[in-house]
Every structure is written in structure tokens, then in C-alpha cells.
Amino acid sequence: MPENSSSNRPPRPSRPTRDHQTDLGGILGRSSETAHDGFMGIEVEQDEVTSEERQRVKRRSRNAVTSAVLVFAVALVMVVAIISPRLGWFERKDYSGEGNGTTVTFTIAEGSSNIGIANSLEEQGIIANAGRFLEVYSETTSDQFFQPGEYELQKEMSSSAALNELLNLDEANTNYVAVSRTWRMDETFDALAKGTGISAGEFESLGNSPDVFGIPSNFPTIEGFLYPGEYRFAKDATAEEILQTMVDQTKEQLEANGVTGDDRIFHVLTVASILEFEGIEKDYAPIAGAIENRLNNPDGETSGYLQSDATVAYGLGIKSYHISDEQKADSSNKYNTFYYKGLPEGPIGSPGETAIKAAANPEKNDYYFWVTVDLFTGETLFAETYEEHLANVEIYDEFCANNKNVCQ
């Protein structure tokens, strides 16, 4: 037979028998009873998952996410806590206002640096932040310099308010005037003119119109209402505004001592003005009591006459401790309490707080006389009768004999 005849071909492999299929299915898994021949006909049986198992899986997933978020949050808080102080996060940069009312004495030592001052202010709780303080200083007042000394500040001031006090910025925009308790109206006007640049004549003109300032009509002038003390008036304040400020101060003192009503106000202010010239503060109340005894007892030792040298001197436009008999007999002087009974025409100066308080609350005593026997110490002696008073006057005369220049 030729070489390419079928008898020379290799034999075909035989098809697997049923037993072979069963063995293969046993290896790969249980075969379906309807499986076709070969591998593609084999099906693998899947385990069924219950609803409860799926819920457990979901819960585990949620818990895992929640735990991850919590861990991240804790880590973030720790990082912020560590770096925020270094970066200045959450720090209060400034307070507002003039302070919380708690006074602090702050000292700037010689040679202190701006940074040192700022840090000290923050350490003492006066300002919130030294850096902010220096920023405000640089932006607004860098041309000003801190002066050594002690300053009355408050806790929790804004940077601007603290700078205002330390650099005396208010003073740069105000006029300073100091008024003494024993000054008369014309002296006060002169001081106001010098301190503000407004003419004394303008103040004097207003002083003769007390009604402009709400002063009772029984006062001839504004005298008595120019409250003594230190003032800082705005540079653009008018003469009327300045006088009103002083008048309002006196009204506040009267109200504080329960003094109301036109007649009562006239009485208290007039007596208080006399006290400022008749003795020293510790003697104001007993002198006020003696004045009331004279005024309220026309049949008493002085027959209702006040007999004050200070009132006569005011009416004469002079200042003197000695009034002559001729001056005491001068009826043209409406302030002559030797000639006219009762109080003079009006106050003879502007009294301060102590004198107003004493006049409003005089000491109850039996005195009718008083005399200052030592002009250096202000020592004053009191007497109930004229004879006792004359003995006290001799002590005064002796003082004057030894101190002629003072008594003149």
C-alpha cells in the first residue's frame, strides 16, 4: 500500500467514557446532572448569603468608617493644639473701650524699649496683645515718644486707649486750666483767658448773665458757680461751653448734698463761699454753725449781723485781713455785713466740695464768734460771748505784732 494510506496515520484518541466525566466532575466540583460534555458544561454551586449576614457586614463597614473619622479628628485637634500657640491662632488681639474699671499703676522705667513696654502692658493685663499694641502705635502715633514715669491705667484697655494715656494725647487737644478755691470771679476769668486764648472780657460778659447757665435769678452774677479744680477744655470749646462745664460741676455738688430750691441754693453757696475765706477746712463746720447762730438769732450776741471782713473786702474789690471802721460803715458796699444784716448780696467766691458740705450741714453749737489767731497754721478760736471773743482777739493781735508783714 502506498505510504500515505490510512494504515500509516496515528490512531485517534478515544473519547472519554462516562466514568472519566464523573471523575473530572468530582475533582472540580459537583457537576450538574444536565451538564454538557467538556469543561464549559461544568457549573460550580455558590453558597447562599443570608440577610442577617449582609447587615453584619454593613455594620462592620460603618463602624470602621466612624472609627477612622474619630481618629482623624483627634489627631487634628492635637495638631491644632500644638501649632496654634506658635502661629497665634485664637489669641485675643485687642480689647475695646477705656478699661474695665480696675486701676493699675503702670511704670515706664528710664531707658525702656517700646517692645518692653508693650510686653509689660500685656503681662499686667492692661492690653490684650503686645504685638497689636505695637501695630497701633506704628500706624497712629509713631512720632510720639514714651516718657518715664508712673501712669494710672486700667485693666483690659484697648491699645488705642492705653496709648492715649501713656502719650497724653488728650492733652495735645485740650487746654489746661486750674482754678483755686479762694479765687474770685475775675481771677478765674483771667486764668481761663490765659489757658484758652479766649479774652477775659468775653468770660466777664457771660459772667454777668447767670440766667444763661440756668442759675437762679437771686444770684447777681455767676460768682459762686465757677467750681474750683483742674480742667482740660477742648481747644474748640467756646467761652459759654467752658463756663457751663464749671457751673454744672457746682450744681452736681449741691445735688449731692441735698441742696435744692433757689433760696436754699443761694444760702448754702453764699455761706460756703464765706467759709473758704474765714478758716481752714477742719473748722468749716463749726464756723458754719456760728454763722447760722448769727443769722437765726437777731436778738443774740451780734444782733443778726454777720460781720465778716471777707465779705466787706470782696465788695471793695480788695484782699485784706484788716477792715477799717470807715469801711465797715460804708452803706454803698452791698457786701458790707457790718452795715447790713443777714447774708451779703451774693457769694464772694466759688466754694469747693468741703465748704458746700459744711454749709449744707453746719455744726450745731452755741458759738457766735471766731477768729483765726495764727495765719500760718490757720488756728481758729471760738467764743460764745463778746468778752470771750475779745480775749481771743488779743491772741491774734499778739501774732500780728510778731508778724507785721503777714497781717498787712
Side-chain angles (χ1 to χ4, degrees):
M1 295 180 68
E3 292 179 1
N4 60 353
S5 65
S6 59
S7 59
N8 296 325
R9 296 176 183 170
R12 291 182 181 176
S14 60
R15 180 175 294 183
T17 65
R18 180 66 179 173
D19 292 337
H20 290 156
Q21 289 178 342
T22 301
D23 292 340
L24 185 59
I27 296 172
L28 297 177
R30 288 174 297 179
S31 62
S32 171
E33 292 181 358
T34 58
H36 299 288
D37 291 342
F39 292 119
M40 297 303 296
I42 299 173
E43 293 181 1
V44 179
E45 185 177 67
Q46 300 293 324
D47 293 335
E48 292 186 1
V49 179
T50 66
S51 175
E52 183 179 349
E53 289 173 334
R54 283 197 296 270
Q55 292 297 325
R56 283 200 299 270
V57 171
K58 289 181 180 179
R59 284 198 295 271
R60 284 197 296 270
S61 298
R62 285 197 299 267
N63 291 339
V65 172
T66 302
S67 298
V69 171
L70 288 175
V71 170
F72 176 78
V74 171
L76 180 61
V77 170
M78 292 179 65
V79 170
V80 170
I82 293 171
I83 68 173
S84 62
R86 299 179 183 178
L87 299 180
W89 296 352
F90 312 125
E91 286 185 4
R92 183 159 192 167
K93 294 298 183 182
D94 211 344
Y95 294 118
S96 61
E98 304 295 321
N100 64 6
T102 302
T103 302
V104 179
T105 300
F106 182 74
T107 302
I108 296 180
E110 192 76 40
S112 296
S113 67
N114 293 349
I115 295 176
I117 292 171
N119 288 333
S120 295
L121 288 168
E122 181 180 342
E123 289 170 3
Q124 294 186 39
I126 297 170
I127 61 171
N129 186 276
R132 177 56 183 163
F133 176 83
L134 292 173
E135 286 177 6
V136 175
Y137 171 75
S138 178
E139 292 169 0
T140 61
T141 56
S142 58
D143 58 334
Q144 304 286 331
F145 299 96
F146 297 106
Q147 300 297 323
E150 291 188 347
Y151 298 83
E152 292 299 313
L153 304 178
Q154 294 186 31
K155 294 273 191 179
E156 299 185 0
M157 301 178 74
S158 69
S159 295
S160 296
L163 282 168
N164 191 58
E165 291 297 324
L166 292 173
L167 298 175
N168 295 318
L169 298 182
D170 282 342
E171 294 185 6
N173 299 313
T174 58
N175 292 315
Y176 174 80
V177 180
V179 178
S180 172
R181 288 181 297 137
T182 56
W183 281 0
R184 297 172 180 172
M185 188 171 61
D186 57 341
E187 294 174 293
T188 300
F189 292 158
D190 287 340
L192 291 173
K194 183 178 180 180
T196 66
I198 301 173
S199 70
E202 188 171 349
F203 288 113
E204 183 177 353
S205 178
L206 287 167
N208 290 321
S209 303
D211 57 303
V212 172
F213 305 97
I215 294 174
S217 59
N218 48 351
F219 286 85
T221 67
I222 200 175
E223 186 75 275
F225 280 89
L226 299 175
Y227 195 77
E230 294 182 283
Y231 292 92
R232 287 181 173 83
F233 300 110
K235 285 188 177 295
D236 59 353
T238 65
E240 183 175 336
E241 290 171 338
I242 290 170
L243 294 181
Q244 187 67 66
T245 297
M246 302 178 76
V247 170
D248 289 344
Q249 287 276 73
T250 297
K251 290 181 177 180
E252 288 178 11
Q253 285 299 326
L254 291 168
E255 291 176 5
N257 286 280
V259 181
T260 60
D262 291 0
D263 290 341
R264 177 64 174 159
I265 290 173
F266 180 87
H267 183 98
V268 169
L269 272 189
T270 302
V271 170
S273 70
I274 295 172
L275 294 178
E276 296 283 13
F277 293 92
E278 290 287 346
I280 57 178
E281 288 191 357
K282 73 178 185 65
D283 293 323
Y284 283 175
I287 294 175
I291 288 176
E292 295 301 324
N293 291 337
R294 287 185 175 221
L295 297 176
N296 298 329
N297 295 287
D299 297 327
E301 285 286 319
T302 61
S303 302
Y305 288 97
L306 192 54
Q307 297 176 326
S308 168
D309 292 346
T311 65
V312 178
Y314 180 88
L316 294 173
I318 63 174
K319 284 192 172 183
S320 175
Y321 293 106
H322 292 284
I323 301 299
S324 67
D325 291 339
E326 183 181 358
Q327 291 169 327
K328 292 177 182 178
D330 183 6
S331 62
S332 66
N333 182 355
K334 299 301 181 182
Y335 289 83
N336 185 355
T337 51
F338 285 90
Y339 189 88
Y340 295 101
K341 289 186 178 183
L343 291 173
E345 190 176 27
I348 61 174
S350 293
E353 177 183 6
T354 304
I356 291 175
K357 184 176 182 179
N361 304 278
E363 177 187 283
K364 294 186 180 302
N365 56 49
D366 296 322
Y367 301 138
Y368 281 87
F369 304 92
W370 68 93
V371 58
T372 301
V373 297
D374 189 323
L375 301 183
F376 291 127
T377 65
E379 180 186 0
T380 299
L381 299 180
F382 295 86
E384 296 179 17
T385 66
Y386 185 61
E387 287 73 21
E388 293 173 352
H389 176 61
L390 289 179
N392 292 336
V393 170
E394 289 182 5
I395 298 174
Y396 170 69
D397 289 339
E398 183 179 353
F399 172 87
C400 286
N402 297 323
N403 301 277
K404 295 181 179 179
N405 293 334
V406 176
C407 291
Q408 291 177 353

